[in-house]
Structures are given as C-alpha cells and as structure tokens.
Amino acid sequence: MPLHLLILGGTTEARELAGRLAAELPAVRVTSSLAGRVAAPRLPHGEVRIGGFGGPDGMADWLRDHAVDALIDATHPFAGTISRNAALAAAHAHVPLLALRRPGWVPVEGDRWHPVDSLAAAAALLPDLGRRVFLTTGRTGIAAFAGLDDLWFLLRSVDPPQPPAPRRLRVLLDRGPFTLDGERALLRAHAIDVLVTKDSGGPATAPKLAAAREAAVPVVVVRRPPPPDGVPTVPDVAAALAWVRERAAG
C-alpha cells in the first residue's frame, strides 16, 4: 500500500507541498484538509477534505479510519487550536507528525514595531499610536477592536467580517500576494497612521511592512503562539518534502 499523508493546510506552503508531492512522489497518496473558514479557498492538488474533525479525538479517529501513515501540520502560524489538536491526535493514533512553519518576520533598521501577545493587547495600544488604523489581522479577530469608536479602521480580509466590529470601519476584500507599490498607495489613499498585523511571516504579505517603514508608520505586531511541545518543525517545503521521502522509502 502507498504511504498515505494527511496535510493540514490552507496555506501557500501546504498547497506547494501537495503539488510537489504529486510531481515528485506520485506514489504517495496525499489528502489535504482545509478548515472551511474561507468561502472560496484555493484548492491544492490531490484529495481534499473540508471541515473540522471534532477535536483531537475526532482527528485521531480519522487518522486511524483512513489509514494515515504520516501527518504534516502546515496550517497558519496562528492556528494554535488545530496545531494542539494535531499533536494530541498524532500521539493517540501513533502517527508521525511534522510541523511546517514559515519563519517569522524580523524587524530591520527604520521599523517602528510594537510587539504584543494578543489582539486585545493590540487594541489597547492603538489610541496612543494613531487614529487611522490598517488592520491586516483577518476578519475573525475584528471583535477585539469593536469598542474603539474614536478610531477609523480599514480591514483587509478575504471574506467579510461578522459583528461585533468597530463603528467606523471600511472593509477591503482582497487576497495576497501584495506589491510594495500597492501597499504604498493604500497607506497614502487612506491616510493610514498605524498598522496592525500578525507575525504570519512569508513574502506574500510582507510588502506592507516595507511600506510602513518608508512612511514611518508604527506597526503593532502580534506575536505567534508557541508551538506544541515536542513536535519537530521545518521552515520550508523542501525540508518537508525530504521528511516525506524518507518515510515513503522506509
């Protein structure tokens, strides 16, 4: 029987990994799992399932029922719940687990970063930094900013947010990758004087940081949650592919 790999995906890296496996290791059966939070997700190559598992026990049952031989957690760096569930499920089902995590961003000279540990902490900091806020933290965390009625917000997200939300809010529906010229123009057009982002890492959404640096706009950066203990982690698709190749050969 071919090795059956489950990829917990939804990220650029997850889609790239599924595509490269199809091209380079076609004997490996690949199933990608998407959470279903985006209305029209970009689908990876191969088999796809959409929706939750019902917690770590439900995921462990799915791993056993579908004879999964290896599991790769390639979810968003802020998908802490699914990563914890994956670690528990893999241990219960005795399935090897690898985490694929793109490196976080690193500040450079000229950056005016204000690191915080949560969206709530970011919201508390905003009144001291600016009045016109560019939110790039996703639609699901918008409630953290709902009480800041004196501030104006531009939220960029793939899908529209649900209430509660800030009273003075404009929503821009868009999906990366974004360009530096586009981000410069966006900051100017909306007179943005503070940016809020999560440290998601990667090049697709990094141009906003360069645009903010050039414009001397302060950036509130929400730190990543810590990864589950004991889970081996690789920074790129090539390393994840090598991990799968070892298991397919063994």
Side-chain angles (χ1 to χ4, degrees), residues 58-83:
M59 188 185 298
D61 289 341
W62 201 96
L63 295 175
R64 286 187 287 259
D65 293 344
H66 292 81
V68 172
D69 301 295
L71 174 62
I72 292 183
D73 173 15
T75 55
H76 192 277
F78 282 81
T81 299
I82 189 66
S83 293

PDB file of all heavy atoms in Angstrom, residues 58-83:
ATOM      1  N   GLY A  58     -11.552  13.239  17.547  1.00  0.00           N
ATOM      2  CA  GLY A  58     -12.107  13.060  16.219  1.00  0.00           C
ATOM      3  C   GLY A  58     -11.033  12.973  15.151  1.00  0.00           C
ATOM      4  O   GLY A  58     -11.140  12.181  14.200  1.00  0.00           O
ATOM      5  N   MET A  59      -9.971  13.775  15.300  1.00  0.00           N
ATOM      6  CA  MET A  59      -8.886  13.699  14.345  1.00  0.00           C
ATOM      7  C   MET A  59      -8.145  12.371  14.450  1.00  0.00           C
ATOM      8  O   MET A  59      -7.783  11.761  13.426  1.00  0.00           O
ATOM      9  CB  MET A  59      -7.900  14.859  14.540  1.00  0.00           C
ATOM     10  CG  MET A  59      -6.849  14.939  13.437  1.00  0.00           C
ATOM     11  SD  MET A  59      -5.557  16.213  13.708  1.00  0.00           S
ATOM     12  CE  MET A  59      -6.531  17.692  13.723  1.00  0.00           C
ATOM     13  N   ALA A  60      -7.928  11.905  15.674  1.00  0.00           N
ATOM     14  CA  ALA A  60      -7.264  10.611  15.855  1.00  0.00           C
ATOM     15  C   ALA A  60      -8.078   9.496  15.212  1.00  0.00           C
ATOM     16  O   ALA A  60      -7.528   8.590  14.562  1.00  0.00           O
ATOM     17  CB  ALA A  60      -7.045  10.340  17.337  1.00  0.00           C
ATOM     18  N   ASP A  61      -9.396   9.551  15.380  1.00  0.00           N
ATOM     19  CA  ASP A  61     -10.256   8.544  14.738  1.00  0.00           C
ATOM     20  C   ASP A  61     -10.123   8.612  13.224  1.00  0.00           C
ATOM     21  O   ASP A  61     -10.082   7.575  12.543  1.00  0.00           O
ATOM     22  CB  ASP A  61     -11.714   8.762  15.141  1.00  0.00           C
ATOM     23  CG  ASP A  61     -11.988   8.401  16.593  1.00  0.00           C
ATOM     24  OD1 ASP A  61     -11.173   7.654  17.180  1.00  0.00           O
ATOM     25  OD2 ASP A  61     -13.010   8.878  17.127  1.00  0.00           O
ATOM     26  N   TRP A  62     -10.076   9.830  12.667  1.00  0.00           N
ATOM     27  CA  TRP A  62      -9.966   9.983  11.219  1.00  0.00           C
ATOM     28  C   TRP A  62      -8.636   9.412  10.730  1.00  0.00           C
ATOM     29  O   TRP A  62      -8.585   8.743   9.685  1.00  0.00           O
ATOM     30  CB  TRP A  62     -10.080  11.458  10.848  1.00  0.00           C
ATOM     31  CG  TRP A  62     -10.468  11.688   9.409  1.00  0.00           C
ATOM     32  CD1 TRP A  62     -11.708  11.916   8.923  1.00  0.00           C
ATOM     33  CD2 TRP A  62      -9.579  11.720   8.285  1.00  0.00           C
ATOM     34  NE1 TRP A  62     -11.667  12.084   7.551  1.00  0.00           N
ATOM     35  CE2 TRP A  62     -10.368  11.976   7.132  1.00  0.00           C
ATOM     36  CE3 TRP A  62      -8.202  11.568   8.123  1.00  0.00           C
ATOM     37  CZ2 TRP A  62      -9.837  12.064   5.844  1.00  0.00           C
ATOM     38  CZ3 TRP A  62      -7.656  11.657   6.837  1.00  0.00           C
ATOM     39  CH2 TRP A  62      -8.462  11.902   5.727  1.00  0.00           C
ATOM     40  N   LEU A  63      -7.565   9.665  11.465  1.00  0.00           N
ATOM     41  CA  LEU A  63      -6.264   9.123  11.083  1.00  0.00           C
ATOM     42  C   LEU A  63      -6.298   7.599  11.034  1.00  0.00           C
ATOM     43  O   LEU A  63      -5.768   6.983  10.098  1.00  0.00           O
ATOM     44  CB  LEU A  63      -5.193   9.594  12.067  1.00  0.00           C
ATOM     45  CG  LEU A  63      -4.892  11.095  12.117  1.00  0.00           C
ATOM     46  CD1 LEU A  63      -3.899  11.395  13.243  1.00  0.00           C
ATOM     47  CD2 LEU A  63      -4.343  11.598  10.782  1.00  0.00           C
ATOM     48  N   ARG A  64      -6.922   7.002  12.040  1.00  0.00           N
ATOM     49  CA  ARG A  64      -6.991   5.538  12.072  1.00  0.00           C
ATOM     50  C   ARG A  64      -7.934   5.005  10.999  1.00  0.00           C
ATOM     51  O   ARG A  64      -7.605   4.040  10.282  1.00  0.00           O
ATOM     52  CB  ARG A  64      -7.444   5.075  13.458  1.00  0.00           C
ATOM     53  CG  ARG A  64      -6.368   5.214  14.543  1.00  0.00           C
ATOM     54  CD  ARG A  64      -6.814   4.571  15.846  1.00  0.00           C
ATOM     55  NE  ARG A  64      -7.835   5.388  16.504  1.00  0.00           N
ATOM     56  CZ  ARG A  64      -7.597   6.208  17.527  1.00  0.00           C
ATOM     57  NH1 ARG A  64      -6.362   6.328  17.997  1.00  0.00           N
ATOM     58  NH2 ARG A  64      -8.570   6.901  18.082  1.00  0.00           N
ATOM     59  N   ASP A  65      -9.115   5.626  10.865  1.00  0.00           N
ATOM     60  CA  ASP A  65     -10.123   5.123   9.923  1.00  0.00           C
ATOM     61  C   ASP A  65      -9.653   5.212   8.477  1.00  0.00           C
ATOM     62  O   ASP A  65     -10.078   4.410   7.628  1.00  0.00           O
ATOM     63  CB  ASP A  65     -11.436   5.899  10.078  1.00  0.00           C
ATOM     64  CG  ASP A  65     -12.112   5.642  11.418  1.00  0.00           C
ATOM     65  OD1 ASP A  65     -11.747   4.661  12.093  1.00  0.00           O
ATOM     66  OD2 ASP A  65     -12.995   6.441  11.790  1.00  0.00           O
ATOM     67  N   HIS A  66      -8.803   6.190   8.178  1.00  0.00           N
ATOM     68  CA  HIS A  66      -8.347   6.384   6.806  1.00  0.00           C
ATOM     69  C   HIS A  66      -6.905   5.923   6.604  1.00  0.00           C
ATOM     70  O   HIS A  66      -6.283   6.239   5.584  1.00  0.00           O
ATOM     71  CB  HIS A  66      -8.491   7.853   6.402  1.00  0.00           C
ATOM     72  CG  HIS A  66      -9.918   8.306   6.296  1.00  0.00           C
ATOM     73  ND1 HIS A  66     -10.662   8.671   7.408  1.00  0.00           N
ATOM     74  CD2 HIS A  66     -10.746   8.428   5.232  1.00  0.00           C
ATOM     75  CE1 HIS A  66     -11.875   9.015   7.015  1.00  0.00           C
ATOM     76  NE2 HIS A  66     -11.954   8.875   5.722  1.00  0.00           N
ATOM     77  N   ALA A  67      -6.398   5.153   7.549  1.00  0.00           N
ATOM     78  CA  ALA A  67      -5.071   4.534   7.433  1.00  0.00           C
ATOM     79  C   ALA A  67      -4.000   5.565   7.054  1.00  0.00           C
ATOM     80  O   ALA A  67      -3.214   5.361   6.120  1.00  0.00           O
ATOM     81  CB  ALA A  67      -5.102   3.391   6.417  1.00  0.00           C
ATOM     82  N   VAL A  68      -3.972   6.669   7.798  1.00  0.00           N
ATOM     83  CA  VAL A  68      -2.972   7.706   7.554  1.00  0.00           C
ATOM     84  C   VAL A  68      -1.637   7.262   8.156  1.00  0.00           C
ATOM     85  O   VAL A  68      -1.578   6.834   9.315  1.00  0.00           O
ATOM     86  CB  VAL A  68      -3.423   9.047   8.154  1.00  0.00           C
ATOM     87  CG1 VAL A  68      -2.310  10.083   8.078  1.00  0.00           C
ATOM     88  CG2 VAL A  68      -4.666   9.559   7.426  1.00  0.00           C
ATOM     89  N   ASP A  69      -0.583   7.360   7.364  1.00  0.00           N
ATOM     90  CA  ASP A  69       0.742   6.933   7.799  1.00  0.00           C
ATOM     91  C   ASP A  69       1.609   8.072   8.318  1.00  0.00           C
ATOM     92  O   ASP A  69       2.569   7.837   9.054  1.00  0.00           O
ATOM     93  CB  ASP A  69       1.479   6.253   6.632  1.00  0.00           C
ATOM     94  CG  ASP A  69       0.728   5.049   6.100  1.00  0.00           C
ATOM     95  OD1 ASP A  69       0.584   4.072   6.849  1.00  0.00           O
ATOM     96  OD2 ASP A  69       0.275   5.106   4.936  1.00  0.00           O
ATOM     97  N   ALA A  70       1.304   9.306   7.919  1.00  0.00           N
ATOM     98  CA  ALA A  70       2.103  10.454   8.345  1.00  0.00           C
ATOM     99  C   ALA A  70       1.230  11.702   8.267  1.00  0.00           C
ATOM    100  O   ALA A  70       0.323  11.795   7.435  1.00  0.00           O
ATOM    101  CB  ALA A  70       3.343  10.615   7.477  1.00  0.00           C
ATOM    102  N   LEU A  71       1.530  12.658   9.133  1.00  0.00           N
ATOM    103  CA  LEU A  71       0.728  13.882   9.244  1.00  0.00           C
ATOM    104  C   LEU A  71       1.653  15.091   9.213  1.00  0.00           C
ATOM    105  O   LEU A  71       2.665  15.120   9.924  1.00  0.00           O
ATOM    106  CB  LEU A  71      -0.059  13.854  10.559  1.00  0.00           C
ATOM    107  CG  LEU A  71      -0.859  15.095  10.958  1.00  0.00           C
ATOM    108  CD1 LEU A  71      -1.952  15.397   9.938  1.00  0.00           C
ATOM    109  CD2 LEU A  71      -1.459  14.910  12.350  1.00  0.00           C
ATOM    110  N   ILE A  72       1.304  16.074   8.390  1.00  0.00           N
ATOM    111  CA  ILE A  72       2.042  17.337   8.354  1.00  0.00           C
ATOM    112  C   ILE A  72       1.084  18.465   8.696  1.00  0.00           C
ATOM    113  O   ILE A  72       0.062  18.651   8.036  1.00  0.00           O
ATOM    114  CB  ILE A  72       2.696  17.593   6.986  1.00  0.00           C
ATOM    115  CG1 ILE A  72       3.816  16.579   6.744  1.00  0.00           C
ATOM    116  CG2 ILE A  72       3.262  19.014   6.919  1.00  0.00           C
ATOM    117  CD1 ILE A  72       4.578  16.793   5.451  1.00  0.00           C
ATOM    118  N   ASP A  73       1.418  19.207   9.733  1.00  0.00           N
ATOM    119  CA  ASP A  73       0.662  20.390  10.125  1.00  0.00           C
ATOM    120  C   ASP A  73       1.270  21.585   9.403  1.00  0.00           C
ATOM    121  O   ASP A  73       2.285  22.122   9.825  1.00  0.00           O
ATOM    122  CB  ASP A  73       0.709  20.564  11.644  1.00  0.00           C
ATOM    123  CG  ASP A  73       0.087  21.880  12.106  1.00  0.00           C
ATOM    124  OD1 ASP A  73      -0.629  22.515  11.297  1.00  0.00           O
ATOM    125  OD2 ASP A  73       0.320  22.270  13.259  1.00  0.00           O
ATOM    126  N   ALA A  74       0.618  21.985   8.302  1.00  0.00           N
ATOM    127  CA  ALA A  74       1.081  23.140   7.527  1.00  0.00           C
ATOM    128  C   ALA A  74       0.057  24.262   7.603  1.00  0.00           C
ATOM    129  O   ALA A  74      -0.147  24.998   6.633  1.00  0.00           O
ATOM    130  CB  ALA A  74       1.332  22.739   6.077  1.00  0.00           C
ATOM    131  N   THR A  75      -0.603  24.389   8.749  1.00  0.00           N
ATOM    132  CA  THR A  75      -1.611  25.424   8.934  1.00  0.00           C
ATOM    133  C   THR A  75      -0.943  26.774   9.196  1.00  0.00           C
ATOM    134  O   THR A  75       0.279  26.888   9.317  1.00  0.00           O
ATOM    135  CB  THR A  75      -2.538  25.078  10.104  1.00  0.00           C
ATOM    136  OG1 THR A  75      -1.751  24.859  11.287  1.00  0.00           O
ATOM    137  CG2 THR A  75      -3.328  23.815   9.806  1.00  0.00           C
ATOM    138  N   HIS A  76      -1.764  27.799   9.300  1.00  0.00           N
ATOM    139  CA  HIS A  76      -1.281  29.150   9.566  1.00  0.00           C
ATOM    140  C   HIS A  76      -0.572  29.194  10.924  1.00  0.00           C
ATOM    141  O   HIS A  76      -0.973  28.485  11.858  1.00  0.00           O
ATOM    142  CB  HIS A  76      -2.469  30.120   9.568  1.00  0.00           C
ATOM    143  CG  HIS A  76      -2.091  31.554   9.539  1.00  0.00           C
ATOM    144  ND1 HIS A  76      -1.755  32.250  10.690  1.00  0.00           N
ATOM    145  CD2 HIS A  76      -1.988  32.436   8.507  1.00  0.00           C
ATOM    146  CE1 HIS A  76      -1.466  33.494  10.363  1.00  0.00           C
ATOM    147  NE2 HIS A  76      -1.591  33.636   9.056  1.00  0.00           N
ATOM    148  N   PRO A  77       0.476  29.990  11.059  1.00  0.00           N
ATOM    149  CA  PRO A  77       1.192  30.051  12.341  1.00  0.00           C
ATOM    150  C   PRO A  77       0.314  30.436  13.526  1.00  0.00           C
ATOM    151  O   PRO A  77       0.688  30.174  14.673  1.00  0.00           O
ATOM    152  CB  PRO A  77       2.262  31.118  12.089  1.00  0.00           C
ATOM    153  CG  PRO A  77       2.494  31.085  10.617  1.00  0.00           C
ATOM    154  CD  PRO A  77       1.169  30.780  10.007  1.00  0.00           C
ATOM    155  N   PHE A  78      -0.846  31.051  13.270  1.00  0.00           N
ATOM    156  CA  PHE A  78      -1.736  31.439  14.361  1.00  0.00           C
ATOM    157  C   PHE A  78      -2.891  30.457  14.556  1.00  0.00           C
ATOM    158  O   PHE A  78      -3.790  30.729  15.351  1.00  0.00           O
ATOM    159  CB  PHE A  78      -2.272  32.849  14.134  1.00  0.00           C
ATOM    160  CG  PHE A  78      -1.273  33.917  14.485  1.00  0.00           C
ATOM    161  CD1 PHE A  78      -0.278  34.261  13.587  1.00  0.00           C
ATOM    162  CD2 PHE A  78      -1.300  34.547  15.718  1.00  0.00           C
ATOM    163  CE1 PHE A  78       0.667  35.226  13.904  1.00  0.00           C
ATOM    164  CE2 PHE A  78      -0.363  35.507  16.052  1.00  0.00           C
ATOM    165  CZ  PHE A  78       0.628  35.854  15.145  1.00  0.00           C
ATOM    166  N   ALA A  79      -2.863  29.338  13.870  1.00  0.00           N
ATOM    167  CA  ALA A  79      -3.907  28.321  14.048  1.00  0.00           C
ATOM    168  C   ALA A  79      -3.533  27.429  15.230  1.00  0.00           C
ATOM    169  O   ALA A  79      -3.290  26.218  15.078  1.00  0.00           O
ATOM    170  CB  ALA A  79      -4.081  27.505  12.771  1.00  0.00           C
ATOM    171  N   GLY A  80      -3.479  28.025  16.412  1.00  0.00           N
ATOM    172  CA  GLY A  80      -2.976  27.313  17.586  1.00  0.00           C
ATOM    173  C   GLY A  80      -3.817  26.130  17.995  1.00  0.00           C
ATOM    174  O   GLY A  80      -3.289  25.080  18.396  1.00  0.00           O
ATOM    175  N   THR A  81      -5.143  26.246  17.880  1.00  0.00           N
ATOM    176  CA  THR A  81      -6.002  25.155  18.324  1.00  0.00           C
ATOM    177  C   THR A  81      -5.804  23.911  17.479  1.00  0.00           C
ATOM    178  O   THR A  81      -5.654  22.796  18.004  1.00  0.00           O
ATOM    179  CB  THR A  81      -7.483  25.586  18.282  1.00  0.00           C
ATOM    180  OG1 THR A  81      -7.669  26.693  19.177  1.00  0.00           O
ATOM    181  CG2 THR A  81      -8.395  24.445  18.702  1.00  0.00           C
ATOM    182  N   ILE A  82      -5.797  24.065  16.147  1.00  0.00           N
ATOM    183  CA  ILE A  82      -5.638  22.892  15.284  1.00  0.00           C
ATOM    184  C   ILE A  82      -4.253  22.279  15.452  1.00  0.00           C
ATOM    185  O   ILE A  82      -4.092  21.051  15.392  1.00  0.00           O
ATOM    186  CB  ILE A  82      -5.912  23.249  13.806  1.00  0.00           C
ATOM    187  CG1 ILE A  82      -5.957  21.995  12.944  1.00  0.00           C
ATOM    188  CG2 ILE A  82      -4.888  24.223  13.277  1.00  0.00           C
ATOM    189  CD1 ILE A  82      -7.093  21.070  13.228  1.00  0.00           C
ATOM    190  N   SER A  83      -3.244  23.102  15.710  1.00  0.00           N
ATOM    191  CA  SER A  83      -1.900  22.553  15.922  1.00  0.00           C
ATOM    192  C   SER A  83      -1.835  21.737  17.206  1.00  0.00           C
ATOM    193  O   SER A  83      -1.219  20.660  17.248  1.00  0.00           O
ATOM    194  CB  SER A  83      -0.867  23.682  15.953  1.00  0.00           C
ATOM    195  OG  SER A  83      -0.749  24.294  14.693  1.00  0.00           O
TER     196      SER A  83
END
